[in-house]
Amino acid sequence: MTQSETSKGTGSAEDYPDGSVGRYVRERWGQTPASGIPAQKPDEPATGRHSLTPPGGVEEVPASPAPRPAVRWVDPAAVAAQQAQRARSEQANGQAEGADLASARLLRKVKRPPQSGWRRAIYLMSGRMINPGESPADIRRRELTARVNHPLLGCHKIAMLSLKGGVGKTTVTATLGGTLASLRGDRVVAVDANPDRGTLSQKIPLETSATVRHLLRDAQRVRRYADVRAYTSQGPSRLEVLASEQDPAVSEAFSEEDYRRTVNLLEHFYNIVLTDCGTGLMHSAMYGVLGLADQLIIVSSGSIDGARSASATMDWLDAHGHGDLVANAVAVINSVHRRSGSVDLDRVAEHFAARCRAVVRIPFDEHLEEGAEIDLDRLAPATRDALLELAAVVADAFEAGA
């Protein structure tokens, strides 16, 4: 036996100068990896069902032989490493599953107690012995609350816009901010950027007469949260408000640069900054608001002129390069009057839904109609549910890595 015959089938891929890896695989293991058909030995007659020569001795040549599939060689070491990694992953999953099963065996599953309605009454009257479980409304509130508490790293800036006055934009700012502050554990502040003597500070108990102008004046001395807290007022919901200058002549000088300096200072101490903008879009501070905003909330009333003004606001934003903010905006249809007349609010909602990310309707509320300080506990249940939905929709846009 010659040396070449002795080494056949035991050589390496380097022994084939033509680079035929498929030939090396066939001679090394005796079959093609793709089809599993045994390879023909060079000195064996080509017979059998895989042969091209029939028993009669006449060779049959196929008219169009099927193309041979490409042979892919896989490093055995890589396969072994993959299998070891898969085994470790399955072992870890098995341990975690075992831990869960152990907890399930040790702890009984208990239904959550009802929070409202007749279920709550039965639960309390029975001395907490009869638990009918949560109602569908309770389950929805719990799910919305979980969305409101979406993780947020950094500072998320929300601008409240409306071209028309009297639609309840400031009220929506205060109630949304209060809902977020009462349900989340981070800090929420609302800035009054209305150049025409804003009323945001009147929605919560006033603790200080300081305004945004005083904060900018003393910005160099603000180092801690306790320092900036001296310039804000805080309501029962934990929402803080930074008031605007009450003198219209002075507040008109609140420029884009002033707004940017204010927000750059506040974002070091707060996770959510809401800005209650004025009704105009051309004053200087508005350029700073739109330049820094992560999300817009466009407020409309249930009237036709209110809806037209809100739609005109979107048109102006689209025309001035803020189409991305409009697409991610939330439209709020705020019922500032007890009845909307013959206006079809469903059609109004459909119009806004085609242009922005979500639409939320807030019903009329007698407590909000007073125009005084807002107490969330005095709101009607339907209003609180609508505000909870609004807060959840807003929180859906939070980025955990922002």
Side-chain angles (χ1 to χ4, degrees), residues 39-57:
Q40 300 288 344
K41 297 296 183 180
D43 53 352
E44 291 181 354
T47 59
R49 64 187 183 92
H50 299 293
S51 172
L52 296 178
T53 304

Side-chain angles (χ1 to χ4, degrees), residues 81-150:
Q82 250 183 0
Q83 292 175 348
Q85 183 178 5
R86 189 179 298 112
R88 288 193 298 268
S89 177
E90 291 175 355
Q91 182 180 5
N93 292 338
Q95 291 175 353
E97 183 179 1
D100 291 340
L101 291 175
S103 299
R105 281 194 295 264
L106 294 175
L107 299 176
R108 290 188 307 163
K109 290 186 177 180
V110 180
K111 291 187 296 184
R112 294 176 180 268
Q115 301 298 318
S116 61
W118 62 267
R119 290 178 172 85
R120 179 70 174 175
I122 292 178
Y123 180 67
L124 295 178
M125 291 174 61
S126 64
R128 304 178 188 271
M129 297 298 293
I130 301 177
N131 183 4
E134 293 179 296
S135 66
D138 290 339
I139 295 175
R140 173 163 174 78
R141 292 190 194 99
R142 178 163 52 83
E143 293 174 347
L144 290 175
T145 302
R147 288 169 56 189
V148 171
N149 285 278
H150 185 85

Side-chain angles (χ1 to χ4, degrees), residues 88 152 180 255 318 326 338-339 366:
R88 288 193 298 268
L152 173 62
L180 290 170
S255 63
D318 281 331
V326 173
R338 188 178 298 274
R339 296 180 180 178
E366 293 182 353

